[in-house]
Amino acid sequence: MIFLTGDTHGDIDIGKLKPEHFPAGDHLQKSDYVIILGDFGFIWDPVESENERTWLNWLEECPWTTLFLDGNHENFGRLTTFPIEQWHGGTVQRIRSSVIHLMRGQIYDIEGLSFFVMGGARSSDINQRRKGISWWPEEEPSQNEYQEAFRNLEEHNCQVDVILTHELPTKQLKELAPYQDAYELTDFLNSVRKGVEYQKWYCGHHHVDKGLSENIWVMYDDIIALE
């Protein structure tokens, strides 16, 4: 089984990831997956702290395998130091044996479904953060990551089953929050929305649980089983 939920922000919102909160939680195995849609938040301190280690080890001991997208609240200086490997058709970084970072622009085959993944977003509170300490410019995708995404989508004939992102496409961003400005990533995702055939799209970032147009869902506290 595959489950989806929104941001965990390190130990701030990790409480929702308890087996009793999952449908069939008593029967989950490492062959089941829980996907966190960005702002994982456990790669944050300059070096792995005792608190991080405790929670990463807790996730490792959970009965499922944890997969996560990066959001905007990650320590990218540290995240980029983890080795890259191939996994289910795309590149990943393995934080623990069963805690895995799904990388930007990749397409994965998981339980017979194809997933296009694009993490990252722009922080709305940059002015309150310090570069290299609580904010990293790598929170937004690079041109190389956009190009990698386009290449992978073209190789799959612009057809995937599920799209997983941290941010929304511009159209749905304006539906959810008309006051928010579009930017390069939302415009890129808008082009994906228009040019890629998909069945469902899930994202995090906006701290609400809400369905939008074109089968796009924003997630935060809810945990759903992907049918």
Side-chain angles (χ1 to χ4, degrees):
M1 299 183 71
I2 300 173
F3 298 90
L4 299 166
T5 192
D7 314 11
T8 48
H9 304 110
D11 60 4
I12 296 173
D13 291 310
I14 193 67
K16 61 189 168 189
L17 294 187
K18 294 181 179 178
E20 60 265 28
H21 294 170
F22 291 81
D26 292 340
H27 305 289
L28 296 181
Q29 303 176 24
K30 286 298 184 182
S31 57
D32 297 308
Y33 300 98
V34 175
I35 303 178
I36 297 167
L37 296 165
D39 280 2
F40 178 61
F42 284 112
I43 312 300
W44 185 257
D45 295 323
V47 297
E48 186 176 276
S49 66
E50 184 62 34
N51 184 61
E52 286 181 5
R53 187 176 304 111
T54 296
W55 283 108
L56 288 169
N57 289 343
W58 179 82
L59 285 171
E60 178 69 9
E61 293 167 2
C62 285
W64 62 77
T65 293
T66 301
L67 310 176
F68 71 93
L69 287 60
D70 56 86
N72 49 301
H73 293 153
E74 322 285 359
N75 182 337
F76 290 97
R78 273 187 59 205
L79 190 57
T80 56
T81 65
F82 287 88
I84 295 172
E85 62 182 81
Q86 288 291 317
W87 184 85
H88 287 241
T91 58
V92 299
Q93 293 171 296
R94 196 177 294 270
I95 312 303
R96 294 288 192 274
S97 62
S98 61
V99 180
I100 299 171
H101 173 218
L102 303 178
M103 300 183 73
R104 296 174 180 175
Q106 301 299 301
I107 296 177
Y108 304 95
D109 182 357
I110 307 173
E111 292 194 356
L113 297 174
S114 55
F115 291 80
F116 170 70
V117 169
M118 181 56 100
R122 177 177 292 177
S123 293
S124 60
D125 57 353
I126 290 176
N127 292 337
Q128 302 170 35
R129 294 177 174 270
R130 296 174 63 190
K131 184 176 180 180
I133 297 174
S134 56
W135 172 81
W136 289 263
E138 295 87 354
E139 67 176 21
E140 295 188 53
S142 67
Q143 291 306 308
N144 286 340
E145 288 168 330
Y146 287 129
Q147 291 167 12
E148 172 83 354
F150 279 127
R151 280 195 302 270
N152 287 329
L153 287 168
E154 287 174 358
E155 287 179 3
H156 286 75
N157 298 315
C158 291
Q159 294 180 331
V160 295
D161 295 310
V162 183
I163 295 178
L164 304 177
T165 63
H166 187 56
E167 179 60 284
L168 282 166
T170 298
K171 178 182 177 181
Q172 282 70 26
L173 177 67
K174 292 299 184 180
E175 284 181 30
L176 181 69
Y179 55 88
Q180 290 200 21
D181 293 330
Y183 59 101
E184 186 175 17
L185 176 56
T186 68
D187 289 341
F188 164 79
L189 295 175
N190 216 47
S191 68
V192 171
R193 175 187 64 81
K194 293 187 287 186
V196 175
E197 183 179 335
Y198 66 92
Q199 300 301 313
K200 297 179 179 180
W201 182 321
Y202 300 92
C203 80
H205 188 46
H206 294 280
H207 295 194
V208 295
D209 293 283
K210 187 177 180 65
L212 301 171
S213 64
E214 301 183 56
N215 287 335
I216 297 178
W217 284 268
V218 186
M219 299 195 64
Y220 185 36
D221 286 322
D222 288 350
I223 298 171
I224 65 164
L226 188 62
E227 300 296 335

PDB file of all heavy atoms in Angstrom, residues 2 14 16 27 105 123 129 170 226:
ATOM      1  N   ILE A   2       0.303   2.325  -0.524  1.00  0.00           N
ATOM      2  CA  ILE A   2       0.980   3.617  -0.568  1.00  0.00           C
ATOM      3  C   ILE A   2       0.098   4.629   0.140  1.00  0.00           C
ATOM      4  O   ILE A   2      -1.101   4.758  -0.165  1.00  0.00           O
ATOM      5  CB  ILE A   2       1.241   4.065  -2.019  1.00  0.00           C
ATOM      6  CG1 ILE A   2       2.128   3.057  -2.746  1.00  0.00           C
ATOM      7  CG2 ILE A   2       1.879   5.459  -2.040  1.00  0.00           C
ATOM      8  CD1 ILE A   2       2.285   3.335  -4.232  1.00  0.00           C
ATOM      9  N   ILE A  14       5.273  15.523  13.335  1.00  0.00           N
ATOM     10  CA  ILE A  14       5.529  14.087  13.143  1.00  0.00           C
ATOM     11  C   ILE A  14       4.477  13.232  13.844  1.00  0.00           C
ATOM     12  O   ILE A  14       4.299  12.047  13.524  1.00  0.00           O
ATOM     13  CB  ILE A  14       6.945  13.715  13.658  1.00  0.00           C
ATOM     14  CG1 ILE A  14       7.361  12.324  13.180  1.00  0.00           C
ATOM     15  CG2 ILE A  14       7.013  13.829  15.178  1.00  0.00           C
ATOM     16  CD1 ILE A  14       7.572  12.208  11.710  1.00  0.00           C
ATOM     17  N   LYS A  16       1.432  12.880  13.567  1.00  0.00           N
ATOM     18  CA  LYS A  16       0.406  12.236  12.732  1.00  0.00           C
ATOM     19  C   LYS A  16       0.881  10.893  12.188  1.00  0.00           C
ATOM     20  O   LYS A  16       0.061  10.078  11.772  1.00  0.00           O
ATOM     21  CB  LYS A  16       0.015  13.155  11.572  1.00  0.00           C
ATOM     22  CG  LYS A  16       1.156  13.500  10.613  1.00  0.00           C
ATOM     23  CD  LYS A  16       0.722  14.584   9.650  1.00  0.00           C
ATOM     24  CE  LYS A  16       1.892  15.153   8.885  1.00  0.00           C
ATOM     25  NZ  LYS A  16       1.531  16.335   8.103  1.00  0.00           N
ATOM     26  N   HIS A  27      -1.195  -3.703   9.963  1.00  0.00           N
ATOM     27  CA  HIS A  27      -0.706  -4.713   9.027  1.00  0.00           C
ATOM     28  C   HIS A  27       0.360  -4.174   8.071  1.00  0.00           C
ATOM     29  O   HIS A  27       0.698  -4.844   7.104  1.00  0.00           O
ATOM     30  CB  HIS A  27      -1.873  -5.290   8.223  1.00  0.00           C
ATOM     31  CG  HIS A  27      -2.974  -5.835   9.084  1.00  0.00           C
ATOM     32  ND1 HIS A  27      -2.844  -6.993   9.823  1.00  0.00           N
ATOM     33  CD2 HIS A  27      -4.213  -5.354   9.353  1.00  0.00           C
ATOM     34  CE1 HIS A  27      -3.961  -7.224  10.489  1.00  0.00           C
ATOM     35  NE2 HIS A  27      -4.800  -6.245  10.221  1.00  0.00           N
ATOM     36  N   GLY A 105      12.471  16.071 -10.284  1.00  0.00           N
ATOM     37  CA  GLY A 105      12.447  15.785 -11.707  1.00  0.00           C
ATOM     38  C   GLY A 105      12.479  14.322 -12.067  1.00  0.00           C
ATOM     39  O   GLY A 105      12.564  13.971 -13.245  1.00  0.00           O
ATOM     40  N   SER A 123      10.114  30.066   0.041  1.00  0.00           N
ATOM     41  CA  SER A 123       9.684  30.432   1.394  1.00  0.00           C
ATOM     42  C   SER A 123       9.078  31.829   1.388  1.00  0.00           C
ATOM     43  O   SER A 123       9.628  32.763   0.799  1.00  0.00           O
ATOM     44  CB  SER A 123      10.874  30.400   2.358  1.00  0.00           C
ATOM     45  OG  SER A 123      11.348  29.084   2.532  1.00  0.00           O
ATOM     46  N   ARG A 129      14.660  34.827   7.823  1.00  0.00           N
ATOM     47  CA  ARG A 129      15.576  33.690   7.899  1.00  0.00           C
ATOM     48  C   ARG A 129      16.996  34.117   7.532  1.00  0.00           C
ATOM     49  O   ARG A 129      17.193  35.175   6.941  1.00  0.00           O
ATOM     50  CB  ARG A 129      15.089  32.553   6.997  1.00  0.00           C
ATOM     51  CG  ARG A 129      13.766  31.971   7.481  1.00  0.00           C
ATOM     52  CD  ARG A 129      13.225  30.895   6.562  1.00  0.00           C
ATOM     53  NE  ARG A 129      12.036  30.274   7.135  1.00  0.00           N
ATOM     54  CZ  ARG A 129      12.037  29.226   7.932  1.00  0.00           C
ATOM     55  NH1 ARG A 129      13.197  28.651   8.253  1.00  0.00           N
ATOM     56  NH2 ARG A 129      10.928  28.730   8.418  1.00  0.00           N
ATOM     57  N   THR A 170       0.498  27.290 -10.965  1.00  0.00           N
ATOM     58  CA  THR A 170      -0.014  28.654 -10.829  1.00  0.00           C
ATOM     59  C   THR A 170      -1.538  28.689 -10.801  1.00  0.00           C
ATOM     60  O   THR A 170      -2.138  29.395  -9.974  1.00  0.00           O
ATOM     61  CB  THR A 170       0.513  29.528 -11.978  1.00  0.00           C
ATOM     62  OG1 THR A 170       1.944  29.593 -11.898  1.00  0.00           O
ATOM     63  CG2 THR A 170      -0.049  30.935 -11.884  1.00  0.00           C
ATOM     64  N   LEU A 226      -3.490   5.605  -1.265  1.00  0.00           N
ATOM     65  CA  LEU A 226      -3.601   5.789  -2.704  1.00  0.00           C
ATOM     66  C   LEU A 226      -4.192   4.526  -3.306  1.00  0.00           C
ATOM     67  O   LEU A 226      -3.634   3.432  -3.196  1.00  0.00           O
ATOM     68  CB  LEU A 226      -2.215   6.072  -3.292  1.00  0.00           C
ATOM     69  CG  LEU A 226      -2.176   6.486  -4.760  1.00  0.00           C
ATOM     70  CD1 LEU A 226      -2.935   7.784  -4.963  1.00  0.00           C
ATOM     71  CD2 LEU A 226      -0.727   6.656  -5.210  1.00  0.00           C
TER      72      LEU A 226
END
